[in-house]
Amino acid sequence: MAARRQGRWDPIGLFEDAQSWLLVFLVGITIGFAASWIDIVAAWLTDVRMGFCGTDWYLPKNVCCTGIHDRDGGCDDWWDWGYAIFGIRHLYPIKWVFYVAISTILAGSCTVLVCQLAPYAAGSGSPEIKTILGGFIIKGYLGIETLVIKLVGLPLAVSSGLAIGKEGPMIHVACCIGNIFPRFFPKYARNEARKREILSAAAATGVGVAFGAPIGGVLFSLEELSSYFPSKTLLRSYFCALVGSVTLQVVDPYRGKRVMYQVTYTRNWHYFELIFFVVLGVFGGLSGALFIRLNMLAQAYRQSSWLKNYPMREVVSIAMATAALCYFDIFTRVDSSELLEYLFKECNESDFFGICDKSTTASTIFLLVFALLLRISLSIITFGVKVPAGIFIPSMVWGALFGRMLGIIVESWQQAHKTFPLFSTCHPEEPCVTPGMYALLGAIAALGGVTRLTLSLTVIMFELTGTLDYIIPCMVTLMVTKLVGDFFGKGGLTDILIRWKQYPYLDPHDEELIGLSAEKVMTPASELVCLTGTGMTVDIIGKYLTKTRCLVSIIVLDRLLHEMDFKGFPVIQSTEDKILIGYISRTDLRNTLG
């Protein structure tokens, strides 16, 4: 062992052996604190749109009204903007104006920071992270500047009410942290392979702290992001996710809850419900495929139209329209995380805005349908704008809305026809159907329809509920979701975005290239545009060489960048000796020429 020499402990050798564990420990703690910051700031800014705590202005609504809230979550200590200005509660025009104005300001502030200071902070980052873990380098994407802007911009974007989530961007934040710390460890500073092991562990921790599901986060990194995941990386990812989750619980942004959507179900499921679990799976696959198809069309239009030149105006317009429309339905007005929490719960735990009131079932279903259609439409339009944005929470929201609606319908059917043969296993005097469970399965199904994942989402669901009773319903739902989604196209949203953005990612599971010869997938030498490693002097400006068309002039290089849209160019030894010696990307070449 390096740490032990001639029977005595060697401090230098001990440090060499401990570098890996010390590094993932520091990365895990930092990610935990970063997640806590985002959760606390986003929660407070979200509530500011509706008002503030009259006793302590810095408290979020759920803390200000702990144990004393009414049916819509308010209380006497919580002052809406109408009461704060005019001393009269429930002045809906004033509340609507402040809701729309503050939402627009938050989204506008975020997009200005992103567009002006760190363009790489936009989006979820999952396609880029997966490409980087596959071996490609995107300079600046995991830099300090990107990290700072994403840490500031993500709470602003989430709290603005846009149809986005923070779970995807948390992967980007975590990998930025995982990219910074290795610079201070000699064992990792100049070793890209080992650095990617830390990035895999950081990505797993990012998902783990976002959902409060560390094991699910590790499996998510293994199933979705990492191309190479040996056993030592698995162990370090597990340790890093553990440290991050412990840090998150110490800071306690969820105010005593272990996870963000902690739920407990007292009733078990019945076999007749498998029919409806299949329905949830079909909906998840169809909605995921529909979202991917329409969102790609929206992003393609965004890149080819006048919207490309006005990204900040687009964000402000979408934020204003979103707030103005969402305010009129309670299921779209509240924060997405708060909505999911109430949709998942049983009726004996809470009655959020009369969702459990049997006398208003028809109006509740109407509001759920309206919220479902509006959420899907806004998610299609919003995902891809210039703010930090993930799709995990939006997809879970529309899935939970459909699941809760289906659960209410099944529950009403069972209670109205207790003697129907399908419900023979239900006790006639006891509740049989749990609509909250349907909402949870619908959320997982919709998320699976967008990501096409199965194993990691099942484990995340297990960690959210803390029980094994619903593992089979979750597995059935996700399996159906996977089959239906793959029928409309292979790969989830991350894989499709990688292909759409033309990132150089080689999918280890791709079977399309098996059996093809090399000449069918390579550019012919006669069409290749390359640069020479020597002889690029001014006295031969404008000279084009035959066959390989090697460019040997600095001025021609500048013209080349304007006339051709290649991502990069191969570099050969000379015009006579056409041995490949390297590759230069378009960005590096532009920076070199100034």
Side-chain angles (χ1 to χ4, degrees), residues 96-177:
W96 180 83
V97 169
F98 273 88
Y99 183 88
V100 174
I102 295 176
S103 298
T104 305
I105 292 172
L106 292 173
S109 301
C110 176
T111 188
V112 168
L113 290 174
V114 170
C115 293
Q116 299 296 329
L117 300 179
Y120 279 154
S124 69
S126 295
E128 290 77 9
I129 296 301
K130 188 169 184 176
T131 303
I132 291 172
L133 291 175
F136 191 65
I137 297 176
I138 305 177
K139 288 190 175 181
Y141 195 79
L142 301 178
I144 296 178
E145 187 178 60
T146 302
L147 172 62
V148 172
I149 298 302
K150 199 126 189 176
L151 283 174
V152 176
L154 184 54
L156 294 174
V158 172
S159 60
S160 69
L162 289 170
I164 57 175
K166 61 181 175 60
E167 280 66 23
M170 266 306 304
I171 300 174
H172 189 186
V173 170
C175 286
C176 287
I177 295 172

Side-chain angles (χ1 to χ4, degrees), residues 337-352:
S337 297
E338 182 182 0
L339 175 62
L340 286 173
E341 181 179 0
Y342 283 110
L343 290 176
F344 291 165
K345 286 184 177 181
E346 288 188 6
C347 285
N348 56 9
E349 293 184 71
S350 63
D351 184 13
F352 174 64

Side-chain angles (χ1 to χ4, degrees), residues 270 272 276 407-420 422-434:
H270 300 268
F272 75 85
F276 306 107
I408 292 175
I409 294 174
V410 175
E411 181 186 35
S412 301
W413 183 19
Q414 185 272 329
Q415 291 181 351
H417 302 83
K418 295 181 180 181
T419 59
F420 191 71
L422 186 64
F423 308 126
S424 59
T425 57
C426 296
H427 193 284
E429 304 299 329
E430 295 180 0
C432 181
V433 178
T434 306

Side-chain angles (χ1 to χ4, degrees), residues 279-574:
V279 173
L280 291 173
V282 172
F283 172 80
L286 291 176
S287 64
L290 177 66
F291 170 81
I292 292 174
R293 183 70 57 86
L294 296 182
N295 180 254
M296 296 311 301
L297 292 176
Q299 294 205 46
Y301 176 77
R302 182 177 289 119
Q303 293 297 319
S304 60
S305 67
W306 58 272
L307 290 173
K308 181 180 180 180
N309 300 321
Y310 302 99
M312 291 184 286
R313 295 183 185 180
E314 181 189 15
V315 172
V316 170
S317 300
I318 292 177
M320 184 180 298
T322 299
L325 292 174
C326 289
Y327 184 83
F328 298 103
D329 188 340
I330 185 60
F331 298 122
T332 56
R333 184 194 313 160
V334 298
D335 174 57
S336 297
S337 297
E338 182 182 0
L339 175 62
L340 286 173
E341 181 179 0
Y342 283 110
L343 290 176
F344 291 165
K345 286 184 177 181
E346 288 188 6
C347 285
N348 56 9
E349 293 184 71
S350 63
D351 184 13
F352 174 64
F353 204 73
I355 196 172
C356 295
D357 190 349
K358 301 299 186 294
S359 63
T360 59
T361 298
S363 61
T364 299
I365 292 177
F366 173 78
L367 292 176
L368 289 172
V369 171
F370 176 80
L372 170 64
L373 298 176
L374 185 58
R375 287 283 188 174
I376 292 180
S377 301
L378 291 175
S379 299
I380 292 171
I381 297 172
T382 306
F383 187 74
V385 298
K386 294 299 182 181
V387 295
I391 195 57
F392 286 12
I393 291 298
S395 61
M396 291 179 67
V397 166
W398 79 60
L401 288 168
F402 178 82
R404 187 78 189 206
M405 179 180 65
L406 180 62
I408 292 175
I409 294 174
V410 175
E411 181 186 35
S412 301
W413 183 19
Q414 185 272 329
Q415 291 181 351
H417 302 83
K418 295 181 180 181
T419 59
F420 191 71
L422 186 64
F423 308 126
S424 59
T425 57
C426 296
H427 193 284
E429 304 299 329
E430 295 180 0
C432 181
V433 178
T434 306
M437 181 188 66
Y438 283 69
L440 178 62
L441 295 176
I444 297 297
L447 180 56
V450 173
T451 62
R452 306 293 165 81
L453 301 179
T454 53
L455 177 62
S456 58
L457 297 187
T458 303
V459 175
I460 287 175
M461 194 283 299
F462 161 68
E463 293 186 87
L464 285 177
T465 60
T467 177
L468 287 170
D469 294 338
Y470 300 99
I471 290 297
I472 292 180
C474 185
M475 293 177 67
V476 170
T477 303
L478 283 174
M479 195 70 251
V480 175
T481 298
K482 175 72 172 176
L483 294 174
V484 173
D486 285 347
F487 177 79
F488 292 95
K490 298 290 185 181
L493 181 61
T494 299
D495 298 314
I496 292 176
L497 284 174
I498 287 176
R499 294 194 291 268
W500 184 68
K501 295 181 178 181
Q502 297 183 341
Y503 289 141
Y505 176 77
L506 297 177
D507 191 346
H509 307 294
D510 193 352
E511 300 179 356
E512 295 180 359
L513 302 181
I514 296 178
L516 297 179
S517 60
E519 64 179 358
K520 293 183 179 179
V521 296
M522 297 179 66
T523 303
S526 58
E527 301 177 6
L528 189 65
V529 178
C530 59
L531 310 177
T532 57
T534 59
M536 300 183 68
T537 57
V538 180
D539 58 324
I540 50 175
I541 290 177
K543 181 177 179 181
Y544 284 81
L545 301 178
T546 59
K547 292 186 179 179
T548 56
R549 297 170 56 197
C550 295
L551 304 169
V552 293
S553 165
I554 295 179
I555 293 181
V556 173
L557 287 178
D558 188 67
R559 191 197 317 164
L560 169 71
L561 293 175
H562 287 85
E563 296 178 355
M564 298 186 177
D565 57 355
F566 295 122
K567 299 287 185 179
F569 306 92
V571 181
I572 61 175
Q573 185 68 36
S574 65

